[in-house]
Amino acid sequence: MKMKLPPISSKIPVMLHGADYNPEQWLKYPEVLREDIRMMKLAKCNVMSVGIFSWVSLEPEEGVFTFDWLDSVLDTFAENGIYAFLATPSGARPAWMSEKYPEVLRVERNRVRNLHGVRHNHCYTSPVYRQKTALLNGKLAERYAKHPAVIGWHISNEYGGECHCDLCQANFREWLKVKYDNSLDELNHAWWTTFWSHTYTSWDQVESPAPHGETQVHGLNLDWRRFVSESTIDFCQHEIDSVRDYNPELPVTTNMHNIDGVDYRKLAKILDVVSWDAYPAWGYTEDNDDARLAAWTAMHHDMFRTFKHKPFLLMESTPSLTNWQSVSKLKRPGMHKLSSLQAVAHGSDSVQYFQWRKSRGSSEKFHGAVIDHSGHAETRVFRDVAEVGRTLAELQDVAGTTTPVQTAIIYDWDNRWAIKDAQGIRNSGLKYEETVLQHYQALWELGIPVDIIGSEEDLSAYKLVIAPMLYLISEANGKRIEKYVEQGGTFLGTYWSGVVGETDLCHLGGFPGPLRRTLGIWAEETEGLHSRDLNGLVMNSGNALSLEGDYDAHEIAELIHLEGAEALGTYRTDFYAGQPALTMNRLGEGRAYHLATRVKDAGFYVELYAAIAKKAGINRTLDTELPAGVTAQFRTDGESDYVFVQNFSGIEQSVVLDGRVYTELESGEPVPAVLTLPVHGLAILKRVH
Ligand code: GLA
Ligand code: ZN
C-alpha cells in the first residue's frame, strides 16, 4: 500500500533546494538582487531562508520598524515561484539594545558580562530580551505569516551557550527547588555533597559551575547542563508562541548544530519539523578517512530523522568550503552531489546551503557560497549546485517517504554529559562518541538502516537495540531494556555501562547496575589501558555467533563474571587472559550480548553485527556484500523503494546487486547486475518494495 507522510508545506510538496539568503546586505546593489532571482531559478532553487540575522534591518531604532525591503524580497519570491523559511532574527541583536539594556548581554562562566559583539550571546532569561524578541516576532508574523511565499518559520539560529547572570542563577535555584521537592536535603543527597564538605545549608549558596568556583560536584554539573538545555528550549517555545497564532498551519523549525549544549531530542518535541546544519570536512580529517566521516555524518542524519520519525531538513551545508576549519579545502568533483544526496538517503527532504551569496565583508566573506564574489554562474560550484537541483527535481516522489528501521542505537544527552564529566577510568581519552560511531559504522558498512534513540524511548519496534557505553542509566530504563529482551528483543551492551543513575550517583550492588540481570554478568573491575597496551578478544570455538578469530583490543577492559551468560570470546593476554570478553545471555525470549573490551579492529564489528543481524532476522538495504566505504540506504512509499548506493571509499568500486530488478531513477534505464561507482560516485535506484 502506498504511504507517504504529508509534505513539509502543501504549497510545495517536492524536494526543497535552497540556501540562507541575506538580501539586506545588498540593498545598495539592486542589480545584485535581480541577478539573485535569475540565478536561483537557474540552479533550480525553490526555497531561501531569509531574515536570520536581520534584526537591525527590521528595527533600526527601538520601536521603529522597517519592513519595506522584506516586503519586496518576499513579493519577488512569490512572483518567481520561490518560497521562504522566514527567520526570527533573535540570533543576533542590534547595538542599540545592548547599549540601552545591558541585561541582555550574556555573563560567562567567569562571571564577566560580555561587551556587545558577535552573535549568539544573549541571556535567554532576560525579560527585556524576551519581550523585545516577542514584539518583533509578532510584527513579522502579523505581516508575513500568511504571505504566499512563506512556507515555515526558521526560529532563531543554532541556539546554544549558557549565561551565568544573576537572573539565570535565580532561575536555576527555582528549577532545582521544583526538581528536588523543595528539599535541600534531597539535593544534597542526590549530589553527594558531604564529599569535601560541599553540603549546602541554604538555597542561596547554590551557584552554577565556575572555573574559579565549583567544578567537582558531578550532580551539579549535570543538573546545570539540563537546566541550560531546558531554558534554551523554553526560550524557543517563547519565540514559537510569539508567532504561532498568526497562522497555526505554518510549520516551525529551528536549525540545530551545537550538539553539546542542548538536548536536541527534547527540543525536537516542540518543533513541527527538525532541521540541522551539517558541515563534514571531506578530505581533510586528521586520519583522512572519508568513510568514517561519512558514517559520522550519516549517524547524525539518522538521529535527526529519528527525533520525529519523519523527514527532516538539511537546513545548512556548504556548497564548497567553509572558513572555520584549520585548512579550507575544496570539495573534490562528485563530492557535492554525493554528500548532498547522502542527507536525502537518510531522510532529508531538502538540500540547503549556507550561503546563497558570499558577503562582501566581515567574518564570513570567504565562506563557501553558491555565488562567489565573481557574481556569475560560470563556476564549478554553481554547476555542482545546479546539478543537485536537477537531481532533486527528479526525486519528487521521494519527498515524504520513510525508512523502515529494525535496529536502534541508544545515544543520549544525559549519558553523554555524565560520561564525559567523570574523572577516571581513562582521562586521556574515553572516546564515547567514537565508540558509538564504531558500532554505527559497522551497520553503515552493512547497509543496515539505524535509528538513533534516547534511553527513554519505546523499544518495541526494534529487533536489535545497541547501547555503547551506557554509563548513565536509571533503574526504570534498565527495567525497560530487561523487559524488551524478555519479550524477544536482542540487546547489545558494552563495558562502562550501568555505572551511575539519573543524578550521577553510582549504582550500588555491582555494575552494570540495572542492566546486570539483562546481560547476565557482573563487572567487578574496569581498567583503562595506555595507548601502548594491547590485549585481544579470542573467539571461543563453536560460539553461538559462529565468529572466528582473534582481534586486537585496547584502551578499556572490564573484568567480568558470568551470572547466567555464556562466554563467546575471552581475553588474549595479561593476568585476565582466558576470562570472558564477549558474552551472550538468553533471557526470556530474547538475547543480550555484552562486549567487555574495546576491540580495535573495525572488521570485528562488521562481522559481529552481520552475525547478530542474521540471528535477529534484520534486513539489509541490499542483500549483498558491500565493499568497505560503500553503503546503501533506502526510503520507501510502500510500493517503490528508492535505494541510494554511495561510494565514500575514495576509489572506484563495483557492487554486485542482489538479484532484484532495479532501474536507475534519473535516467529510467535498467541497472546491470554489477553496478560500477566512480570515486565519490552515487547511484539512485528504484525497485518494487
Ligand atoms: C552556522 C551558522 C551560519 C554560518 C555557518 C558557517 O551553521 O548557522 O550562520 O555561520 O555556520 O559555516
Ligand atoms: Zn542570564
Side-chain angles (χ1 to χ4, degrees):
M1 200 183 59
K2 200 158 174 150
M3 232 263 333
K4 288 222 284 183
L5 292 167
I8 285 158
S9 167
S10 53
K11 288 184 193 169
I12 174 167
V14 297
M15 283 284 167
L16 303 175
H17 188 217
D20 279 20
Y21 182 44
N22 295 101
E24 71 276 21
Q25 294 177 17
W26 299 93
L27 295 180
K28 292 197 165 75
Y29 305 70
E31 69 288 358
V32 167
L33 298 178
R34 276 195 300 276
E35 269 296 89
D36 281 337
I37 300 292
R38 186 185 69 83
M39 286 197 277
M40 283 171 193
K41 294 206 268 193
L42 204 59
K44 289 206 181 306
C45 282
N46 51 20
V47 67
M48 293 285 142
S49 304
V50 287
I52 296 175
F53 298 111
S54 313
W55 200 325
V56 81
S57 306
L58 295 166
E59 192 182 1
E61 283 173 52
E62 186 171 15
V64 175
F65 299 97
T66 43
F67 294 115
D68 42 330
W69 65 272
L70 191 50
D71 289 349
S72 138
V73 168
L74 292 175
D75 292 349
T76 311
F77 277 180
E79 284 155 22
N80 287 276
I82 297 165
Y83 293 85
F85 283 109
L86 182 57
T88 63
S90 66
R93 63 181 177 277
W96 59 253
M97 197 190 301
S98 308
E99 187 183 28
K100 182 158 181 200
Y101 308 102
E103 70 161 73
V104 303
L105 296 162
R106 194 171 280 183
V107 172
E108 298 294 336
R109 275 190 164 228
N110 60 8
R111 302 330 194 226
V112 175
R113 198 178 282 281
N114 287 332
L115 300 181
H116 181 79
V118 206
R119 60 176 174 177
H120 298 313
N121 51 12
H122 30 269
C123 169
Y124 292 129
T125 306
S126 155
V128 172
Y129 200 66
R130 287 184 163 236
Q131 186 204 334
K132 291 288 171 204
T133 306
L135 181 70
L136 180 52
N137 290 359
K139 295 224 177 265
L140 280 170
E142 189 179 18
R143 198 170 182 98
Y144 302 116
K146 296 208 165 138
H147 192 285
V150 174
I151 57 167
W153 286 109
H154 180 299
I155 302 290
S156 200
N157 186 74
E158 296 187 348
Y159 285 117
E162 54 190 53
C163 175
H164 297 257
C165 77
D166 292 344
L167 296 169
C168 289
Q169 301 278 353
N171 259 12
F172 180 44
R173 281 177 214 117
E174 290 312 308
W175 184 88
L176 290 170
K177 283 182 191 161
V178 173
K179 174 159 185 177
Y180 295 105
D181 248 346
N182 244 324
S183 157
L184 258 191
D185 194 43
E186 228 184 82
L187 175 140
N188 279 314
H189 178 261
W191 290 0
W192 210 250
T193 53
T194 331
F195 174 79
W196 287 354
S197 249
H198 285 206
T199 303
Y200 299 101
T201 51
S202 131
W203 288 99
D204 293 337
Q205 295 159 4
V206 181
E207 293 178 332
S208 64
H212 53 314
E214 189 61 274
T215 55
Q216 299 298 302
V217 177
H218 291 162
L220 161 65
N221 294 346
L222 184 57
D223 272 343
W224 171 252
R225 303 208 72 156
R226 289 171 172 144
F227 164 76
V228 168
S229 175
E230 281 186 29
S231 316
T232 311
I233 294 169
D234 184 66
F235 187 83
C236 180
Q237 182 67 60
H238 167 76
E239 289 214 56
I240 294 171
D241 292 345
S242 67
V243 298
R244 186 65 105 184
D245 287 350
Y246 295 89
N247 181 359
E249 307 288 297
L250 208 55
V252 301
T253 189
T254 183
N255 55 332
M256 304 187 187
H257 182 66
N258 302 306
I259 305 266
D260 203 40
V262 183
D263 186 335
Y264 281 153
R265 192 166 280 121
K266 294 201 172 120
L267 175 57
K269 292 199 187 341
I270 67 167
L271 306 174
D272 300 310
V273 190
V274 168
S275 65
W276 85 288
D277 305 340
Y279 289 96
W282 303 117
Y284 53 116
T285 54
E286 234 166 75
D287 48 5
N288 198 19
D289 185 349
D290 272 353
R292 186 164 184 269
L293 183 61
W296 177 249
T297 310
M299 179 172 123
H300 284 86
H301 287 318
D302 285 345
M303 178 175 82
F304 288 106
R305 184 199 62 241
T306 308
F307 285 164
K308 288 202 166 296
H309 296 279
K310 66 178 202 189
F312 61 93
L313 298 167
L314 176 63
M315 186 56 86
E316 289 181 28
S317 60
T318 180
S320 58
L321 37 69
T322 60
N323 69 336
W324 45 260
Q325 262 130 356
S326 54
V327 172
S328 301
K329 211 166 159 178
L330 299 174
K331 277 188 200 169
R332 270 38 205 167
M335 193 44 112
H336 181 62
K337 183 171 178 185
L338 177 61
S339 63
S340 298
L341 272 295
Q342 179 195 30
V344 176
H346 287 268
S348 179
D349 270 5
S350 80
V351 173
Q352 292 160 268
Y353 313 113
F354 178 85
Q355 48 189 334
W356 171 252
R357 181 182 282 275
K358 282 187 183 170
S359 27
R360 193 163 181 198
S362 283
S363 69
E364 289 184 325
K365 62 179 179 293
F366 299 129
H367 191 290
V370 181
I371 310 288
D372 211 323
H373 296 124
S374 61
H376 57 71
E378 298 312 314
T379 62
R380 188 178 73 101
V381 168
F382 190 92
R383 282 190 293 274
D384 277 358
V385 167
E387 188 188 349
V388 167
R390 281 193 299 277
T391 301
L392 291 175
E394 296 294 325
L395 294 185
Q396 307 313 5
D397 291 344
V398 181
T401 58
T402 50
T403 305
V405 179
Q406 301 168 315
T407 304
I409 292 183
I410 297 181
Y411 182 49
D412 145 323
W413 264 261
D414 278 357
N415 181 49
R416 191 164 170 276
W417 286 332
I419 200 171
K420 291 174 79 154
D421 194 34
Q423 288 119 314
I425 49 175
R426 200 171 188 279
N427 298 330
S428 72
L430 194 59
K431 303 190 181 167
Y432 171 60
E433 287 95 342
E434 290 90 327
T435 305
V436 178
L437 177 62
Q438 210 170 26
H439 289 257
Y440 177 88
Q441 188 167 353
L443 298 156
W444 180 87
E445 294 278 0
L446 288 162
I448 293 177
V450 178
D451 275 354
I452 306 292
I453 62 171
S455 50
E456 318 240 297
E457 265 161 81
D458 179 22
L459 307 177
S460 59
Y462 302 108
K463 291 184 173 171
L464 169 63
V465 174
I466 302 160
M469 298 178 83
L470 193 52
Y471 167 82
L472 180 151
I473 180 153
S474 66
E475 294 284 348
N477 288 333
K479 266 269 160 292
R480 289 189 322 104
I481 292 175
E482 190 176 306
K483 212 158 161 210
Y484 161 76
V485 175
E486 276 175 343
Q487 292 174 348
T490 301
F491 177 76
L492 185 140
T494 75
Y495 51 88
W496 215 222
S497 291
V499 180
V500 302
E502 202 269 338
T503 66
D504 214 312
L505 293 182
C506 290
H507 289 297
L508 300 179
F511 302 147
L515 295 174
R516 190 166 165 184
R517 186 165 171 268
T518 304
L519 294 165
I521 54 132
W522 168 40
E524 184 181 341
E525 292 179 283
T526 307
E527 74 165 336
L529 298 169
H530 286 289
S531 306
R532 61 175 180 269
D533 298 330
L534 203 62
N535 205 313
L537 162 64
V538 184
M539 296 309 302
N540 294 351
S541 62
N543 64 77
L545 286 175
S546 309
L547 291 178
E548 285 171 13
D550 177 348
Y551 303 93
D552 285 348
H554 66 160
E555 297 179 336
I556 298 179
E558 196 175 68
L559 278 53
I560 59 174
H561 301 274
L562 301 177
E563 291 180 338
E566 62 188 75
L568 306 182
T570 53
Y571 281 105
R572 179 202 291 162
T573 177
D574 216 323
F575 73 93
Y576 41 91
Q579 290 186 27
L582 176 67
T583 61
M584 186 191 77
N585 191 35
R586 290 169 214 267
L587 184 70
E589 305 289 304
R591 282 178 167 71
Y593 299 88
H594 183 76
L595 180 60
T597 184
R598 182 173 292 156
V599 174
K600 202 173 170 186
D601 183 356
F604 163 75
Y605 295 92
V606 176
E607 285 171 40
L608 174 71
Y609 284 117
I612 292 178
K614 202 162 164 213
K615 263 206 178 346
I618 289 166
N619 303 322
R620 298 167 59 177
T621 297
L622 288 176
D623 195 10
T624 184
E625 190 93 359
L626 294 169
V630 174
T631 191
Q633 179 79 14
F634 81 108
R635 296 176 65 167
T636 187
D637 58 18
E639 281 180 0
S640 301
D641 288 351
Y642 304 92
V643 181
F644 298 74
V645 193
Q646 309 150 50
N647 179 10
F648 285 99
S649 70
I651 51 173
E652 186 184 287
Q653 296 282 8
S654 310
V655 175
V656 183
L657 292 176
D658 55 9
R660 296 170 71 172
V661 177
Y662 291 91
T663 49
E664 213 271 324
L665 186 88
E666 282 180 79
S667 67
E669 298 287 320
V671 182
V674 181
L675 186 70
T676 307
L677 293 167
V679 179
H680 307 329
L682 160 89
I684 309 171
L685 313 179
K686 196 173 165 181
R687 70 180 177 205
V688 175
H689 180 62

